[in-house]
């Protein structure tokens, strides 16, 4: 698997990370290096082996259906750059 | 007859698939302990998990999982004992984490079926592709400010079941029947309230057109349609639009469209192509969800009698027509109401009063069965008065109207207004004698062969007795008198 410059630009856009055009070529090299490194795993024969989700055999913990949180709008809104009447306020986004 | 739309160049068949987002009934959210109530003050039901504060970890709500399994069982679907949560990545102001926790390749519920009861009495079986659990996003309010959008995260993190149908639907009517049936099953199960206006059930519609027998055409998806009627209208509009494009020599572009509820058209969302590149990957914060078979069996044991089974029982046990049975079982409360009325009484007479008189009166007054001024026992009381000949069927209609108006029991109204049926032959004979004496000319006409006048005499006698005479007795006594 290998990435070209257009793909790198596209990934950057999807991740909303601004990568100026002159920097993209260098990223192509870096990302391809990373992919190549991970692809070494393909050399291991994993036929018939189930994907491993946890190294310690843990299971997903489940919670009771009880209201134990919320009712702290001020704390939730505290980091919002702009708020009004209990809402977060952002530049207009509408279809 | 298959449903088709006639274009300029011939008939077109519709292919429709629906994705329904059903909000799970639960106290707390799917991955946090914040409440799920509708209509609370903005951001008052938000935990740091729902607002995606750094370092917060999701912990799954056992009851939401149970509700998804219960729904799967109600749809006769495969339950996947191992399922996986994935991140669906996209940026939007009301999605604070930048991803939605959803299920992609390994959903909790696999293939199932839904039987549609069509108005002509036939049953259409529609495939369910899958059901998966996911988080709802927050709510954006665009109309409060000219340049700003307001964001409320109360809905952020509420559990949704996305229920996907196979592209098995072929007409707007079938799509409507599918939604109503699915809503009915969800309500029976108590897993979603099915309220489309409040947004607790939302629908994305996939539509394409083709010539009969040909492969599927390119489809368009109409997002977030929020009523059964709108879904049906949107399908018809979209199909006609696609037919026009193709017949004009154009090609359908696969895209997402919106249903405009004021102009009755679908229009393209101006989304960029990459909006659909969600780059799913397993959520590293969540291990696979593994269910114990015994736990699933335990849920299965608590399933209520569902609409299809209830309908079959109503037909078999009460001898109702498939249509009446279908009308009664569509809503659990209505079905229970009917069974109370029918208990120990003639089931068909009970069905006529419940589906005809009562549902009619409720519809006209815009009332729900729970708000009915006439209880099931009270309606039963009215039917009893007819069964033991205390009142005639004609008078019963008047008593019913009075009961609906005042909420009084039938017996009290009958006593108060003196509506008790006259079964005393002496009193009826007296009324007949008076009518015959006052209409001697007509009696002569009748006796000379004008049989049709019999109805006139019956009417006059009923009038004379203020409608209280037993009609069968009147017929009987009157024909004897006229033959004398």
């Amino acid at each position: 698997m290998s990435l070209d410059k257009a793909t790198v630009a596209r990934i950057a856009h999807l991740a909303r990370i601004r990568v100026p055009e002159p920097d993209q070529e260098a990223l192509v090299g870096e990302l391809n290096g990373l992919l190549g490194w991970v692809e070494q795993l393909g050399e291991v024969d994993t036929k018939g082996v189930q994907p491993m989700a946890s190294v310690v055999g843990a299971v997903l913990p489940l919670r009771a259906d009880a209201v134990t949180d919320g009712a702290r709008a001020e704390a939730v809104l505290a980091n919002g750059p702009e708020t009004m009447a209990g809402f977060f306020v952002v530049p207009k986004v509408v279809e | 007859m298959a449903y088709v739309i006639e274009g300029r160049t011939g008939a077109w068949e519709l292919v429709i698939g629906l994705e329904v987002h059903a909000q799970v009934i639960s106290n707390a959210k799917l991955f946090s302990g914040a409440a799920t109530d509708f209509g609370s003050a903005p951001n008052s039901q938000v935990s740091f998990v729902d607002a995606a504060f750094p370092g917060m970890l999701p912990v799954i709500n056992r009851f939401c999982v149970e509700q998804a399994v219960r729904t799967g069982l109600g749809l006769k679907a495969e339950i996947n004992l191992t399922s996986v949560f994935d991140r669906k990545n996209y940026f939007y102001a009301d999605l604070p984490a930048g991803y939605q926790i959803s299920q992609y390749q390994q959903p909790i519920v696999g293939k199932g079926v839904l039987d549609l009861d069509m108005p002509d009495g036939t049953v259409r079986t529609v495939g369910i592709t899958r059901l998966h659990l996911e988080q709802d996003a927050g709510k954006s309010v665009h109309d409060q400010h000219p340049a700003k959008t307001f964001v409320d995260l109360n809905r952020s993190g509420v559990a949704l079941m996305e229920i996907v149908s196979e592209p098995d639907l072929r007409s707007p009517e079938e799509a409507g029947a599918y939604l109503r049936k699915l809503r009915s099953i969800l309500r029976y199960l108590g897993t979603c309230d099915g309220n489309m206006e409040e947004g607790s059930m939302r629908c994305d519609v996939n539509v394409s057109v083709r010539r009969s027998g040909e492969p599927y055409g390119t489809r368009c998806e109409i997002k977030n349609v929020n009523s059964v009627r709108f879904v049906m209208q949107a399908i018809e509009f979209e199909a006609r639009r696609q037919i026009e494009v193709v017949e004009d020599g154009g090609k359908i572009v696969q895209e997402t469209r919106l249903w405009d509820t004021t102009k009755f058209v679908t229009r393209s969302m101006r989304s960029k192509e990459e909006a659909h590149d969600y780059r799913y990957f397993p959520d590293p914060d969540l291990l696979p969800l593994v269910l114990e078979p015994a736990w699933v069996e335990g849920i299965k044991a608590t399933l209520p009698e569902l609409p299809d089974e209830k309908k079959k029982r109503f037909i078999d046990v009460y001898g109702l027509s498939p249509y009446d049975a279908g009308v009664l079982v569509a809503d659990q409360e209505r079905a229970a109401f009917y069974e109370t009325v029918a208990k120990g009484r003639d089931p068909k007479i009970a069905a006529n009063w419940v589906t005809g008189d009562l549902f009619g009166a409720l519809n006209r007054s815009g009332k729900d069965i729970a708000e009915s001024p006439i209880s099931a026992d009270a309606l039963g009381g009215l039917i009893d008065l007819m069964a033991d000949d205390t009142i005639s069927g004609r008078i019963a209609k008047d008593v019913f109207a009075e009961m609906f108006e005042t909420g009084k029991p039938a017996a009290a109204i009958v006593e108060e207004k003196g509506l008790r049926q006259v079964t005393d032959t002496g009193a009826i004979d007296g009324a007949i004698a008076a009518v015959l004496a006052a209409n001697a000319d007509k009696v002569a006409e009748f006796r000379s062969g004008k049989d049709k006048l019999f109805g006139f005499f019956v009417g006059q006698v009923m009038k004379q007795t203020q409608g209280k005479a037993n009609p069968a007795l009147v017929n009987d006594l009157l024909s004897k008198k006229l033959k004398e």
Side-chain angles (χ1 to χ4, degrees):
Chain A
M1 189 175 179
S2 145
L3 302 179
D4 59 12
K5 202 170 140 185
T7 308
V8 168
R10 187 170 136 76
I11 298 168
H13 175 71
L14 284 170
R16 299 298 186 272
I17 296 170
R18 183 174 298 145
V19 181
E21 209 269 335
D23 299 346
Q24 289 171 5
E25 199 56 60
L27 268 180
V28 170
E30 281 183 39
L31 289 173
N32 278 332
L34 285 169
L35 285 172
W37 181 68
V38 173
E39 264 171 11
Q40 291 178 59
L41 291 172
E43 292 165 20
V44 183
D45 181 8
T46 55
K47 201 178 284 173
V49 179
Q50 287 298 309
M52 182 178 65
S54 163
V55 286
V56 291
V59 293
L60 183 69
L62 294 111
R63 186 170 50 79
D65 182 33
V67 176
T68 55
D69 206 340
R72 46 168 153 178
E74 262 178 51
V76 165
L77 292 164
N79 295 322
E82 192 181 349
T83 62
M84 199 189 291
F87 290 94
F88 290 98
V89 177
V90 299
K92 195 146 207 151
V93 276
V94 71
E95 279 295 346
Chain B
M1 244 327 259
Y3 176 94
V4 292
I5 291 181
E6 288 296 333
R8 291 194 312 277
T9 60
W12 295 86
E13 186 177 276
L14 276 59
V15 176
I16 305 153
L18 300 179
E19 292 170 22
V20 170
H21 290 87
Q23 185 180 319
V24 173
I25 294 177
S26 65
N27 296 318
K29 294 181 180 180
L30 182 55
F31 294 112
S32 88
T36 58
D37 304 332
F38 179 78
S40 304
N43 293 304
S44 63
Q45 296 176 170
V46 183
S47 79
F48 292 157
V49 177
D50 311 316
F53 277 41
M56 302 309 294
L57 290 173
V59 182
I60 197 163
N61 181 332
R62 179 192 305 271
F63 184 66
C64 293
V65 175
E66 183 179 330
Q67 292 284 61
V69 169
R70 180 173 288 119
T71 305
L73 292 170
L75 297 171
K76 302 183 188 75
E78 304 156 9
I79 305 300
N80 294 325
L81 295 176
T82 300
S83 65
V84 172
F85 287 97
D86 298 272
R87 291 185 180 180
K88 177 179 179 177
N89 299 279
Y90 66 95
F91 284 101
Y92 203 74
D94 56 24
L95 188 77
Y99 60 84
Q100 175 193 33
I101 303 178
S102 181
Q103 297 190 299
Y104 188 48
Q105 283 175 339
Q106 290 178 263
I108 186 165
V109 175
K111 285 189 185 303
V113 289
L114 192 78
D115 284 336
L116 307 185
D117 308 283
M118 301 311 293
D120 63 4
T122 57
V123 171
R124 273 270 284 131
T125 300
V126 175
I128 303 279
T129 312
R130 60 185 278 162
L131 175 156
H132 68 251
L133 271 171
E134 64 183 26
Q135 300 175 297
D136 205 347
K139 189 179 169 201
S140 295
V141 185
H142 303 295
D143 57 3
Q144 296 294 304
H145 192 284
K148 305 283 186 183
T149 290
F150 286 34
V151 179
D152 173 12
L153 299 181
N154 279 350
R155 235 175 45 191
S156 169
V158 168
L160 299 178
M161 298 177 284
E162 180 171 325
I163 304 164
V164 183
S165 85
E166 295 287 331
D168 286 350
L169 300 160
R170 291 290 175 272
S171 70
E173 286 66 34
E174 287 184 3
Y178 173 90
L179 284 175
R180 283 191 293 267
K181 185 62 174 284
L182 178 60
R183 183 168 61 188
S184 170
I185 291 174
L186 294 173
R187 285 176 172 166
Y188 265 68
L189 293 167
T191 56
C192 170
D193 69 22
N195 189 331
M196 292 187 86
E197 290 95 65
E198 285 181 3
S200 44
M201 190 169 138
R202 309 192 283 274
C203 187
D204 298 343
V205 189
N206 285 289
V207 181
S208 64
V209 297
R210 65 174 178 186
R211 299 291 191 191
S212 178
E214 284 185 5
Y216 294 146
T218 304
R219 66 188 161 85
C220 290
E221 182 181 19
I222 312 161
K223 277 271 184 206
N224 259 331
V225 192
N226 65 358
S227 84
V228 174
R229 193 163 49 91
F230 288 157
V231 167
M232 294 169 66
Q233 288 169 344
I235 289 170
E236 169 143 18
F237 175 87
E238 177 60 19
R240 288 187 187 280
R241 184 192 72 83
Q242 291 183 13
I243 290 166
E244 210 171 289
V245 170
V246 177
E247 291 193 333
D248 285 346
K251 272 211 170 350
I252 302 298
V253 185
Q254 184 166 345
E255 61 176 352
T256 303
R257 301 177 68 86
L258 286 176
W259 173 242
D260 187 321
T261 55
T262 52
K263 296 191 187 112
F264 296 103
V265 298
T266 62
R267 55 186 168 80
S268 186
M269 283 172 76
R270 291 158 302 176
S271 311
K272 296 170 195 79
E273 289 164 49
E274 59 265 24
H276 279 300
D277 191 342
Y278 293 126
R279 294 152 295 143
Y280 284 96
F281 63 88
D283 192 318
D285 289 340
L286 292 160
L287 289 164
L289 174 61
V290 180
L291 309 178
E292 292 295 329
W295 188 68
V296 174
E297 283 305 313
I299 297 169
K300 199 171 191 174
T302 66
L303 287 191
E305 182 184 38
L306 290 168
D308 290 333
E309 302 152 23
K310 204 185 274 292
K311 182 179 171 187
K312 188 175 178 311
R313 181 167 63 82
F314 278 20
I315 293 169
D316 293 348
V317 175
Y318 297 124
L320 301 186
S321 69
Y323 179 82
D324 278 350
V327 168
L328 287 168
V329 307
D331 180 282
Q332 214 166 7
E333 279 186 72
R334 289 182 168 208
F337 189 102
Y338 166 72
E339 292 211 80
T340 306
V341 177
K343 193 166 187 202
R345 304 189 176 96
D346 182 316
K348 284 184 192 168
I349 290 176
N352 287 342
W353 279 91
V354 173
T355 61
D357 302 85
L358 182 69
F359 288 176
L362 288 173
N363 277 349
R364 281 192 295 280
S365 60
K367 283 195 169 83
D368 196 63
I369 188 91
E371 308 160 314
S372 171
I374 304 179
S375 71
D377 287 327
L379 183 56
L382 175 65
I383 294 171
D384 290 343
L385 291 180
M386 271 181 293
D388 68 8
D389 279 335
T390 306
I391 56 172
S392 66
R394 172 71 204 81
I395 291 287
K397 300 276 175 188
D398 296 340
V399 175
F400 176 86
E402 182 86 13
M403 290 168 78
F404 199 84
E405 190 73 30
T406 63
K408 286 185 193 165
I413 294 168
V414 169
E415 284 315 315
E416 207 172 280
K417 305 219 154 184
L419 298 174
R420 188 172 282 274
Q421 181 165 249
V422 177
T423 49
D424 166 9
T425 52
I428 295 175
D429 273 335
I432 289 174
V435 168
L436 297 189
N439 297 283
D441 50 337
K442 294 217 165 58
V443 174
E445 281 179 51
F446 179 85
R447 288 191 172 137
S448 61
K450 208 168 171 191
D451 291 353
K452 281 181 186 162
L453 280 169
F454 190 74
F456 164 80
F457 291 120
V458 172
Q460 289 299 307
V461 174
M462 292 308 283
K463 201 171 162 191
Q464 183 88 13
T465 59
Q466 288 99 50
K468 289 181 288 187
N470 178 311
L473 273 178
V474 171
N475 276 330
D476 195 35
L477 296 172
L478 191 58
S479 63
K480 275 183 198 151
K481 277 276 184 261
L482 284 167
K483 278 174 193 153
E484 273 172 10

